[in-house]
Amino acid sequence: MEPLSPRAERARQIADVLRQRITSGAFDDGPLPAEHELGTQLGATRNAVREALGLLRAEGLVERRQGVGTLVVHPKYGHGLDRLAGLAEALDGYGDVVNEVRAAGLVTPPPAIAERLGLAPGARVVHLERLRRLGGLPLSLDTTYLPADIGLPLLDRDLAGRDLFALIEETSGSRLGRADVVVHAVSAGPDTAALLEVAPGTAVFALDRLTHLADGRPVDAETLHIRADRLTLRATLHRGPA
Amino acid sequence: MEPLSPRAERARQIADVLRQRITSGAFDDGPLPAEHELGTQLGATRNAVREALGLLRAEGLVERRQGVGTLVVHPKYGHGLDRLAGLAEALDGYGDVVNEVRAAGLVTPPPAIAERLGLAPGARVVHLERLRRLGGLPLSLDTTYLPADIGLPLLDRDLAGRDLFALIEETSGSRLGRADVVVHAVSAGPDTAALLEVAPGTAVFALDRLTHLADGRPVDAETLHIRADRLTLRATLHRGPA
């Protein structure tokens, strides 16, 4: 392995500390302290601080503005992985989530989707695609497949303003149960990047989620592409039996 | 917003379905089916399948090998976000996790770290940096800070072969309790990329984790950079009370 310079290592470690402070909201109300001040706080040289800020700029987390200093680009919202909640529920209090409904209708899905939903190959399902915004800026692109009996009643409802989870519970009369979630970090392809209004190649979350009714029936197979510069995923884990 | 071609949209949707199948291990034992066969399975044209495979190649998920076809680059291992477990515990059965210990010793950490650990500014802590490999290839780069009374006894132990969580429980005689986890998706900077043996700019997970003893004392402040082409994060979520 190539040896790395101690200075680069130091910058990376400082970037780790700053990332944690930034995403916990320490600098949401104004610019970060000046480089020399950060250096004092972090016990680091000004050069190391400058390199660390360069890494965080490359991540899209902060930007430098002339005459103002270094600013956090977007406050990062936390989406809990502890409890199954829709995005609007999770962001309650941060502002209104508005959904641009880009597709809504019956389709014959790929057999892999039918299988995930426990349907026969060729069964028609409701396909929804929604671009979700908070404060006007895209947060996520959600591609959803639902069995026809669950999905069709949703088409008359307020898909632009409401979370699917709440709507499914209302129209089906059943509570949701568990969801199996797999989280990936991927580079946004040109198409996803254009929709999410980020540069192609930007790191985003891709989240596969299969949600079941309380009785165990799978009713909602989704892939969400989430802007990682705007949303973090949070969880509290507990140590089980050894 | 720029209108996107229906063909690009279709390719993206097919890539979503294939990504889910790939990461659930459907093609770990050999090449993916040929493009026309995938097209039949997915109800898509061969062109759309080809574009979807191009997106997944750009994500580093698959590669094309002359005379063989399209292969999954690395089987993706799932790291559960349901229960607090070390990497070696989580990957039990997949092979041995070997840790290259790059740093291990007492340091004066940045004040933000001391604060996270509930220590006075200037308190000395144990700093560990480990590059963790499975099957010879890097999985993650872990930067850890521990209070001296917890960390010093670890320095005599098998840091190369064991999970920190198990070692902390052994040497402290206390069980671990909860951990607060925040997950980011970021583009790897040059330094992190070199250590993880990926191209600079590759999407990786950055995971901040603060782990407590069962009595609530914070004892382990970490930042993990995780190769997202090798590891997914998995969780089962439950719908709580409305």
Side-chain angles (χ1 to χ4, degrees):
Chain A
M1 193 178 58
E2 234 177 308
L4 296 156
S5 77
R7 183 166 145 179
E9 301 248 347
R10 186 83 184 123
R12 179 168 52 75
Q13 286 163 13
I14 293 166
D16 286 345
V17 175
L18 279 173
R19 186 188 307 104
Q20 192 276 321
R21 293 192 65 196
I22 287 168
T23 57
S24 64
F27 309 114
D28 282 359
D29 295 330
L32 272 66
E35 285 170 4
H36 63 88
E37 170 65 25
L38 277 177
T40 306
Q41 287 181 19
L42 297 169
T45 65
R46 194 166 161 178
N47 274 338
V49 169
R50 191 173 298 146
E51 283 189 40
L53 291 174
L55 293 172
L56 297 176
R57 275 203 305 280
E59 288 180 15
L61 206 58
V62 298
E63 63 184 2
R64 194 151 49 188
R65 204 170 297 165
Q66 193 67 37
V68 179
T70 297
L71 291 167
V72 176
V73 176
H74 303 293
K76 273 205 178 189
Y77 304 102
H79 190 45
L81 283 179
D82 297 316
R83 177 178 166 276
L84 182 60
L87 196 62
E89 290 171 352
L91 298 179
D92 190 28
Y94 291 113
D96 286 340
V97 174
V98 176
N99 308 317
E100 177 190 326
V101 180
R102 308 184 70 251
L106 271 177
V107 301
T108 303
I113 294 286
E115 195 188 322
R116 291 202 91 198
L117 291 172
L119 302 173
R124 306 269 282 169
V125 303
V126 168
H127 166 242
L128 298 176
E129 187 163 283
R130 295 169 306 147
L131 183 64
R132 317 195 66 183
R133 295 172 188 272
L134 179 72
L137 277 181
L139 266 186
S140 72
L141 176 67
D142 300 8
T143 306
T144 310
Y145 297 91
L146 309 127
D149 64 306
I150 298 288
L152 285 173
L154 302 181
L155 298 180
D156 301 324
R157 306 298 289 266
D158 178 18
L159 291 171
R162 303 277 311 278
D163 275 346
L164 272 195
F165 287 165
L167 288 176
I168 291 172
E169 291 185 331
E170 277 178 26
T171 56
S172 72
S174 307
R175 286 287 288 170
L176 293 172
R178 78 170 202 285
D180 301 316
V181 176
V182 179
V183 184
H184 311 270
V186 302
S187 298
D191 186 52
T192 305
L195 289 167
L196 290 178
E197 300 176 20
V198 296
T202 300
V204 299
F205 291 113
L207 195 148
D208 288 318
R209 182 167 62 188
L210 182 65
T211 303
H212 306 72
L213 293 181
D215 66 8
R217 179 186 172 204
V219 290
D220 179 354
E222 293 172 285
T223 300
L224 287 66
H225 284 87
I226 300 173
R227 270 182 67 159
D229 60 337
R230 300 200 71 204
L231 210 71
T232 60
L233 303 175
R234 289 167 194 267
T236 302
L237 309 188
H238 296 272
R239 187 80 167 162
Chain B
M1 192 179 59
E2 233 176 308
L4 296 156
S5 77
R7 184 167 143 177
E9 302 249 348
R10 185 82 184 124
R12 180 168 52 74
Q13 286 162 13
I14 292 166
D16 286 345
V17 174
L18 279 173
R19 186 187 307 105
Q20 193 276 323
R21 293 193 66 196
I22 288 168
T23 59
S24 64
F27 308 115
D28 281 359
D29 296 329
L32 273 65
E35 287 171 1
H36 62 89
E37 170 66 25
L38 277 177
T40 306
Q41 286 181 20
L42 298 168
T45 65
R46 195 167 161 177
N47 274 338
V49 169
R50 191 173 296 146
E51 284 189 39
L53 290 175
L55 293 172
L56 297 176
R57 272 202 307 279
E59 289 180 14
L61 205 58
V62 298
E63 62 184 4
R64 194 152 48 189
R65 204 172 296 167
Q66 194 66 36
V68 179
T70 298
L71 291 166
V72 176
V73 176
H74 304 293
K76 275 206 177 189
Y77 303 102
H79 191 43
L81 283 178
D82 296 317
R83 176 178 166 278
L84 182 60
L87 195 62
E89 291 171 352
L91 297 179
D92 191 27
Y94 290 114
D96 286 341
V97 174
V98 176
N99 308 317
E100 178 190 325
V101 181
R102 307 184 69 251
L106 272 177
V107 300
T108 304
I113 294 285
E115 194 189 323
R116 291 201 91 198
L117 291 173
L119 302 173
R124 305 269 283 170
V125 304
V126 168
H127 168 240
L128 298 175
E129 187 162 284
R130 295 170 305 148
L131 184 64
R132 317 195 67 183
R133 295 172 187 274
L134 179 72
L137 278 181
L139 265 186
S140 71
L141 176 68
D142 300 8
T143 305
T144 310
Y145 298 92
L146 308 126
D149 64 305
I150 298 289
L152 284 174
L154 302 181
L155 297 180
D156 301 325
R157 305 300 289 267
D158 177 18
L159 291 170
R162 303 278 309 278
D163 274 346
L164 272 195
F165 288 164
L167 288 177
I168 291 171
E169 292 185 331
E170 277 177 25
T171 57
S172 73
S174 307
R175 286 287 289 170
L176 293 172
R178 79 170 200 283
D180 302 316
V181 176
V182 179
V183 184
H184 311 270
V186 302
S187 297
D191 186 53
T192 304
L195 288 168
L196 291 178
E197 300 176 20
V198 297
T202 300
V204 299
F205 291 113
L207 195 148
D208 290 317
R209 182 167 63 187
L210 182 65
T211 303
H212 305 73
L213 293 181
D215 67 8
R217 179 184 173 205
V219 290
D220 181 353
E222 294 172 284
T223 301
L224 286 67
H225 284 87
I226 299 172
R227 271 182 66 159
D229 61 337
R230 301 200 70 203
L231 211 71
T232 60
L233 303 175
R234 289 166 194 269
T236 302
L237 309 187
H238 294 273
R239 187 82 167 159

